[in-house]
Amino acid sequence: MKMKFMGVTWPPFQKDSVDDYQGVLVPLSQATRHPRVLAEYARKQSTEDLRLSQDGTANLTPEEKKAKDGDLDAERGTRTAGGLPSPNTVEGLRAEILEGSKNDGHGEDTPYDIKSRLINAAIQDIGMGRYNWQLFILCGFGWFADNLWLQGVALTLPSLQTTFGLSETNVRYTTCALFIGLCLGAFVWGIGSDIIGRRLAFNATLFLAGVFGIAAGAAPNWIGACALFASLGVGVGGNLPVDGALYLEFLPEASGKLLTLLSVWWPVGQLVASLVGWGFLGGNYAPEDGWRYFVYTIGTLTFVMFLARFLLFHLFESPKFLLSRGRQAEAVAVVHGMAAKNGTTTWLTEDLLNEIGGDPIAKDTTLSTSEILRRKFSSFSTERIGPLFHTKKLGWTTALLWFCWLTIGMGYPLFNAFLPQYLANGKSSSGETVSSYETYRNYAITSVVGVPGSILACYTVDIPYVGRKGTMAVSTMLSGVFLFLFTLSSSSTYQLAFSSVEAFFQNIMYGVLYAYTPEVFPAPNRGTGTGICSFLNRIAGLCAPIIAANIPGANPNAPVFVSGGLILAAFLAMCGLPIETRGRERL
């Protein structure tokens, strides 16, 4: 029996049924199709009419052409747009799905593939609504938590050094422990969500991060702190792959760019971490107590985000996952539920799925666990990677993009993961080392200045003659230049100015890189290309603290030099990218 509590259906993981959403189903013949579908239908109709009107008229006299036009008008009255089936018919829907299959170049489709495209079409017709925007916020929590903890651990390094008597270089291995958890979490939850479902993984990632985050505040020693940071990293590391996949599977294709907008939550996570850190680590508490209160606070905040997901929002399971497990009726019910949440209607039924996609009892409709794993790992097979180098232009783009993600993945944490340490070495106007209060105040100011960069990037990418490549290259170059300028003076005011400007351009760089990467890869291999980019980025991030802790020489700015060099290397690679995606339709 289902009950409602605070607007949420309980029990939270109970199966959905179409009977729970009365009044949302309409016949396909009366359904409102998406404007893109109608526009494409009109384009094909116009092309077909032009072909018919020009066919065989080149050598006709004016009287014969007039008679021909009369015959054509009569033909139009008895056919459906040049023989094209209406998009509000089963035949039209079948033609729409088959055309999508041809454009994907995926080869022969299984019933699962065909039915997945039907569900995509139904979600497209439902459009963006309340459910999608609520999901945008809750998925944004995952991106928020990712940078909240990356910057949060960075903020604790000076206090951990004091509390446990560590050297400035050895304490950097704390960040390495976090990255080990992040890499493991991305791998485990990325695959696990395809086996246990998106809904469970979606909630479990923040639950683990919150529980281990709170526990980390009570770590008895440095080894214990590293172990707990690694454990919470396993939860945090699953947020980006799980949340991104879940949001994408409920996102209408016409609103696909909103997936990129999720990256706005990334700098907000840094901002909140810096403000909370300023309060607890800025001199108001003893170093051995302040970092614990800080970790308790952001751990509690993470757990509250989990509670918001679990208690205040009824999350539907991904219809693609349900379909892959042979739970077709539930997949249809989820689409009905989404339509009900958005206050609209849908035409999707099991009968339509079966009529176009085939019998649900067919073996190919259900994917076994081994088949899911095979599909997942096939993304990294030579058969999947090969097409990324099919043409010289695409191959050059792929190689340069992977290089960019690798160098930026190492360069970013070499500076940002240890920025509180760099700022703590700054000098005041009197030549004295700055106080903890000023260190964390400056870090908070840097975070505030960086946030508008992500927003500005949304506008500059569509400027003619600038586009994605121009915005990305210029912001990356300036980020690298300001990293080197940061090292020219130990003045705290000077360092604040250049770290703030660097953060601004750095957020532009990352925001555009996140947008450009999926746009440039063709649809059949988009998951492979972006997946390898993410993998290289995480592995490079894992290596960054090891490099920072072992760079020879007494110069404390040595990691910053390496970071600046890597960022400028990425800039040079961006200058060689041959493809601009501004105004280009994604294939």
Side-chain angles (χ1 to χ4, degrees), residues 103-299:
N103 291 338
D104 280 351
H106 182 66
E108 186 176 353
D109 282 332
T110 66
Y112 168 80
D113 296 323
I114 295 172
K115 292 179 180 182
S116 291
R117 290 192 176 90
L118 274 170
I119 290 176
N120 286 343
I123 291 176
Q124 172 89 322
D125 288 344
I126 290 173
M128 284 293 294
R130 187 179 64 152
Y131 182 81
N132 305 85
W133 288 113
Q134 289 176 340
L135 194 60
F136 173 81
I137 295 173
L138 295 177
C139 287
F141 285 170
W143 292 70
F144 174 90
D146 192 274
N147 210 20
L148 177 75
W149 282 105
L150 181 60
Q151 303 304 323
V153 171
L155 287 165
T156 64
L157 295 184
S159 297
L160 291 175
Q161 180 183 344
T162 301
T163 302
F164 299 119
L166 303 169
S167 68
E168 183 177 349
T169 54
N170 285 342
V171 76
R172 292 173 179 173
Y173 285 108
T174 310
T175 305
C176 185
L178 175 66
F179 268 96
I180 289 174
L182 291 174
C183 292
L184 184 61
F187 178 78
V188 170
W189 291 112
I191 295 176
S193 64
D194 285 340
I195 299 174
I196 64 174
R198 309 278 192 264
R199 183 160 57 175
L200 181 57
F202 182 74
N203 287 291
T205 50
L206 277 187
F207 174 78
L208 289 176
V211 169
F212 284 110
I214 295 173
N221 49 51
W222 180 58
I223 298 299
C226 289
L228 290 168
F229 283 143
S231 298
L232 74 87
V234 173
V236 172
N239 280 314
L240 297 190
V242 174
D243 296 6
L246 180 68
Y247 187 62
L248 183 62
E249 288 172 359
F250 281 104
L251 189 66
E253 184 181 346
S255 304
K257 289 187 177 181
L258 288 177
L259 181 63
T260 302
L261 195 60
L262 278 175
S263 64
V264 171
W265 289 89
W266 173 271
V268 175
Q270 177 178 344
L271 173 60
V272 171
S274 64
L275 293 175
V276 176
W278 184 14
F280 287 109
L281 304 171
N284 297 321
Y285 300 89
E288 59 269 18
D289 294 327
W291 77 268
R292 295 186 186 276
Y293 297 149
F294 169 69
V295 173
Y296 284 143
T297 301
I298 62 176

